[in-house]
């Protein structure tokens, strides 16, 4: 994968168009975003009464930083796909978070709609990263036919998971 703009990682400068260090980028962001996303999820839904302003500051700053990195690493067209993915997955996001909360005897309606903003945005960012990883693992980024196949399988797989969760309710 070629970087879409200049980026410095651990003091090493990478120029626009150079290959990105995938073995660093994906594990780092999957773990880092997983930790921040989990902490935001717990603050939003654990019943601790976390003030909404703190929840937005904690999640909002991190989400903004992730978006800046996403634009630098993946480019505008791929971030556009993240928004398409978000539109496609809104029902899925709702169903999956509702399912997770159900494990703890809670539901989305137990919380103000404003509490859901941060966990939903983390979910969008995380699923975007998963799609990017699938494109790279399949070697599909520079191969249009393979890219269409991976994207089609990604959409169908997402709909299958969401449909199964919906039917299980």
């Amino acid at each position: 994968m070629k970087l879409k703009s200049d980026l410095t990682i651990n003091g090493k400068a990478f120029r626009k168009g150079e290959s990105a260090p995938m073995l660093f980028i994906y594990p780092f962001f999957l773990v880092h975003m997983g930790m921040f996303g989990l902490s935001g999820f717990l603050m939003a839904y654990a019943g601790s009464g976390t003030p909404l302003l703190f929840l937005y500051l904690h999640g909002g700053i991190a989400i903004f930083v992730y978006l800046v990195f996403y634009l630098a690493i993946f480019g505008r067209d791929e971030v556009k796909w993240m928004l398409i993915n978000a539109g496609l997955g809104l029902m899925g996001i709702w169903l999956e978070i509702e399912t997770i909360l159900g494990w703890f005897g809670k539901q989305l309606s137990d919380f103000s709609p404003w509490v859901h903003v941060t966990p939903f945005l983390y979910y969008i960012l995380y699923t975007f990263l998963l799609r990017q990883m699938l494109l790279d693992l399949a070697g599909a980024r520079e191969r249009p036919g393979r890219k269409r196949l991976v994207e089609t399988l990604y959409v169908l797989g997402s709909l299958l998971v969401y449909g199964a969760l919906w039917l299980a309710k």
Side-chain angles (χ1 to χ4, degrees):
M1 168 182 46
K2 306 288 185 201
L3 290 174
K4 304 305 177 190
S5 67
D6 295 343
L7 185 65
T8 301
I9 299 173
N10 289 337
K12 184 176 187 313
F14 294 90
R15 307 298 265 158
K16 179 179 178 177
E18 288 182 346
S19 291
M22 285 185 358
L23 291 176
F24 172 79
I25 288 174
Y26 288 120
F28 174 79
F29 280 105
L30 286 170
V31 170
H32 192 272
M33 191 179 304
M35 290 185 320
F36 267 89
L38 180 62
S39 67
F41 187 91
L42 291 173
M43 282 191 285
Y45 298 126
S48 62
T50 303
L52 199 55
L53 178 62
F54 181 78
L55 186 65
Y56 281 4
L57 288 174
H58 174 270
I61 292 168
I63 289 167
F64 175 77
V65 170
Y66 292 136
L67 283 172
V68 169
F69 276 109
Y70 280 12
L71 286 167
I73 295 167
F74 303 110
R76 185 177 294 250
D77 286 341
E78 294 299 330
V79 173
K80 175 190 79 177
W81 239 96
M82 179 177 65
L83 298 175
I84 291 169
N85 187 48
L88 169 71
L90 189 56
M91 180 179 82
I93 295 168
W94 188 271
L95 287 167
E96 288 182 15
I97 291 179
E98 182 79 16
T99 299
I100 293 168
L101 288 173
W103 297 339
F104 303 100
K106 298 180 181 183
Q107 53 188 351
L108 285 168
S109 61
D110 293 340
F111 303 92
S112 159
W114 302 111
V115 170
H116 305 305
V117 172
T118 300
F120 274 45
L121 286 173
Y122 271 117
Y123 187 96
I124 291 166
L125 290 166
Y126 204 78
T127 55
F128 168 80
L129 194 61
L130 290 174
R131 178 182 163 272
Q132 297 301 315
M133 186 174 66
L134 288 174
L135 288 171
D136 286 329
L137 288 174
R141 197 170 292 282
E142 304 298 327
R143 299 170 74 182
R146 187 176 286 186
K147 185 175 181 181
R148 277 192 304 280
L149 176 64
V150 169
E151 289 174 342
T152 299
L153 291 173
Y154 177 80
V155 169
L156 292 175
S158 296
L159 290 173
L160 183 66
V161 169
Y162 302 158
L165 287 172
W166 183 67
L167 290 173
K169 288 193 84 43

